[in-house]
Amino acid sequence: MTKADIGLIGLGVMGANLALNIAEKGFRIAVFNRTTARTREFVEEAGPLADNIVPCETLEALVDAIGAPRPIILMVPAGPAVDEQIAALDPLLARDDIIIDAGNANFRDTRRRMEALAKTGPRFIGMGVSGGEEGARHGPSIMVGGPQDSYRRIEPVLEAIAARYKGEACQAWLGPDGAGHFVKTIHNGIEYADMQMIAEIYGILRDGHGLSAQEIAPIFARWNEGRLNSYLVEITGAVLTAIDMDTGKPIVDVILDRAGQKGTGRWSAIEAQSLGVPATAIEAAVAARSLSAMKAERESAEKRFGIRVPSAGKPGESALADLEAALFAGKIVAYAQGFSVMAAASREFGWNLPLGTVARIWRAGCIIRSQFLGEIADAFDKAPETENLLMTSAFSAFMETAHPHLRRVVAQSAEAGLPAPSLSAALAHFDTFRRARGTANLIQAQRDFFGAHGFERVDREGNHHGNWNRG
Ligand code: NAP
């Protein structure tokens, strides 16, 4: 029988759709799933694509079905399941076979796995895949890290299955070891901030202006026609129009206000902190999800403190223009922070991450795809050495006109008691960032006072101590 071009383990939501995408593009794919019944069901449901699928009931059969050097995609939950699969595959594979972890791994695990396998095992690739179920089936954004020659072996498959932006495939090799999984993590961190800021604007419209879901939906739909054009703004409009079949109410009104998280948002915040890069809009979004999970505490707190949001009435055109520009300005800061984290990681781990390429492969397929990412790609193309998007000519000009709106929205929300943690964090970041003289002189004085840490002076070189009058 003709050998398969590639193998895949884990026929869950992502794995099954990715396998169908690969089969549809004319590649022969061998598949294995821990629960064999699922493998059989998958092939039965594959229709004519089953001709390109080789179902395997053991790992030995899977390995045997693929042409050498064998690339095998793992699409299993991040964590121990990946280590278990690697341990099971390692003795069956040759040195130049390639295990590709396509789940949402922590890049530190990817580095560890790569290092361990480098001694005796097969090659290892860490590959971020974004776009959810739909993306996996019809074209995801794919972020690859690992040995570049192993990437070349799978490049034709990735090129064929990735999303396309004006004909260009949204996949790329971004650097060695954990580069791909790191970029995917930051993608998700930015996604957290993007979603949170949209939710904050929704909250202002719902609780401040008293609009119903049906009244808010066309506002997002309209914004999606302009500079906020993006998948997330588009689906927000669609989500807000959907009706719950059981109650006849807007479905968002019957959904509990408690959001889950699997780890990538938190990892983004942790890595930003480890690298010493402020990513406060992302951190605020991660914290907001944690607060959302504290439903019982929030109910007690509302009983204790009460909420009195003065009604702002139906928003006029100028209030809507403020909200639209505030979302745009907040988004600029969140993306600038995310890209700065990637720039710092690139330096720290010696990856030489191509930030323009990162923006380009996020323009289609992934959850944060947007018109805006095209502008980010252009900004990095014009100034490849740029580490801070806020300082590029295009984005500094956008920010100059948008920040007064963000300021007004944050100020009015604070006055009304409406939470806008991510938008507020974005504004605070911008205001702190653009002040040449900040307030850390006082922090340094305090540190020297209590710990003799010393400080630098504005008028002289060297480390100095204060002659503190301790009373
Ligand atoms: P899923 O639907 O829960 O499927 C998990 C798959 O892994 C199943 O085939 C399952 O097999 C298998 N599996 C679970 N534990 C295993 C183990 N210990 N050993 C071997 N196989 C095991 O998960 P998913 O949503 O496809 O996610 C897969 C990966 O993609 C995760 O890392 C996830 O974070 C990432 N991801 C998901 C999305 C998304 O939108 N869902 C988007 C991007 C990335 P059984 O049938 O035997 O249970």
Side-chain angles (χ1 to χ4, degrees):
M1 207 204 301
T2 324
K3 293 279 184 190
D5 301 291
I6 195 162
L8 183 141
I9 296 175
L11 293 168
V13 175
M14 292 298 283
N17 283 292
L18 207 63
L20 291 174
N21 187 355
I22 293 171
E24 190 178 61
K25 299 303 175 311
F27 296 97
R28 202 165 163 73
I29 179 164
V31 297
F32 169 85
N33 193 63
R34 179 180 60 175
T35 310
T36 307
R38 173 69 194 129
T39 311
R40 294 186 192 138
E41 181 190 64
F42 169 71
V43 179
E44 273 162 30
E45 289 167 2
L49 292 180
D51 291 347
N52 275 347
I53 297 170
V54 186
C56 304
E57 300 200 354
T58 62
L59 284 180
E60 288 78 2
L62 178 89
V63 169
D64 194 42
I66 310 164
R70 304 171 185 85
I72 300 178
I73 298 174
L74 301 183
M75 239 333 171
V76 299
V82 175
D83 287 312
E84 286 165 26
Q85 285 306 309
I86 293 173
L89 280 171
D90 188 10
L92 306 177
L93 295 179
R95 283 286 279 155
D96 56 354
D97 289 338
I98 312 157
I99 298 178
I100 305 148
D101 177 14
N104 276 340
N106 186 313
F107 87 106
R108 293 186 183 275
D109 285 337
T110 304
R111 285 167 69 86
R112 167 180 59 76
R113 289 168 183 145
M114 213 165 281
E115 204 176 318
L117 288 173
K119 292 176 195 133
T120 55
R123 321 295 301 277
F124 190 69
I125 278 184
M127 183 170 95
V129 177
S130 176
E133 190 176 354
E134 267 300 295
R137 177 66 185 86
H138 298 293
S141 169
I142 303 173
M143 297 145 256
V144 186
Q148 199 171 9
D149 55 341
S150 302
Y151 162 74
R152 294 279 172 237
R153 165 79 177 84
I154 56 167
E155 191 181 4
V157 177
L158 303 184
E159 190 71 16
I161 64 166
R164 299 206 120 57
Y165 183 85
K166 296 184 179 164
E168 215 179 302
C170 292
Q171 67 83 25
W173 178 81
L174 299 173
D177 61 81
H181 276 144
F182 189 88
V183 170
K184 174 68 195 328
T185 295
I186 300 303
H187 165 283
N188 286 21
I190 292 174
E191 178 187 306
Y192 269 57
D194 214 336
M195 292 169 75
Q196 174 64 26
M197 287 178 182
I198 291 173
E200 289 170 16
I201 298 287
Y202 155 73
I204 293 168
L205 288 166
R206 184 189 68 182
D207 302 330
H209 292 283
L211 298 190
S212 66
Q214 280 99 336
E215 288 171 311
I216 302 172
I219 297 173
F220 280 101
R222 175 146 67 97
W223 289 349
N224 192 44
E225 302 298 315
R227 59 188 171 171
L228 287 174
N229 174 262
S230 62
Y231 174 69
L232 284 172
V233 169
E234 178 194 331
I235 65 163
T236 303
V239 158
L240 288 164
T241 55
I243 299 295
D244 174 46
M245 301 292 255
D246 295 338
T247 58
K249 292 180 182 168
I251 197 156
V252 279
D253 292 342
V254 297
I255 296 178
L256 195 63
D257 58 334
R258 193 158 62 190
Q261 49 179 313
K262 283 192 187 157
T264 44
R266 193 181 308 127
W267 296 341
S268 296
I270 290 170
E271 295 306 333
Q273 291 281 358
S274 315
L275 291 160
V277 179
T280 46
I282 295 170
E283 287 167 12
V286 175
R289 287 231 192 151
S290 303
L291 260 166
S292 86
M294 298 162 60
K295 179 75 174 167
E297 287 97 321
R298 288 189 289 114
E299 281 171 344
S300 305
E302 182 171 328
K303 282 195 193 104
R304 169 66 186 82
F305 297 107
I307 43 170
R308 276 180 301 279
V309 177
S311 172
K314 301 279 178 209
E317 278 308 311
S318 92
L320 289 177
D322 272 347
L323 291 168
E324 190 263 359
L327 188 49
F328 188 62
K331 192 166 159 146
I332 291 174
V333 174
Y335 280 66
Q337 291 183 339
F339 275 86
S340 292
V341 175
M342 288 190 283
S346 182
R347 270 195 311 278
E348 173 78 12
F349 301 108
W351 287 334
N352 203 14
L353 278 183
L355 297 181
T357 303
V358 170
R360 258 194 300 282
I361 63 170
W362 287 353
R363 288 176 304 179
C366 69
I367 301 297
I368 61 171
R369 61 185 182 260
S370 64
Q371 171 186 307
F372 183 75
L373 276 159
E375 283 150 14
I376 296 180
D378 291 345
F380 281 115
D381 285 346
K382 281 193 195 120
E385 301 310 314
T386 301
E387 296 215 343
N388 191 336
L389 207 56
L390 284 173
M391 295 306 285
T392 62
S393 59
F395 285 88
S396 59
F398 289 148
M399 205 55 199
E400 217 159 25
T401 55
H403 82 84
H405 300 273
L406 175 60
R407 189 171 309 289
R408 210 155 31 239
V409 167
V410 168
Q412 287 169 355
S413 306
E415 190 65 37
L418 288 167
S422 227
L423 290 168
S424 311
L427 179 65
H429 176 86
F430 176 68
D431 283 340
T432 312
F433 175 65
R434 71 183 175 138
R435 282 196 90 79
R437 177 149 171 80
T439 54
N441 50 327
L442 181 63
I443 308 276
Q444 287 300 76
Q446 291 164 332
R447 293 179 73 233
D448 190 55
F449 187 103
F450 65 67
H453 293 290
F455 50 79
E456 293 168 291
R457 293 179 60 104
V458 294
D459 53 358
R460 254 177 275 160
E461 292 289 309
N463 192 41
H464 303 272
H465 291 283
N467 179 21
W468 307 113
N469 178 2
R470 290 166 194 268

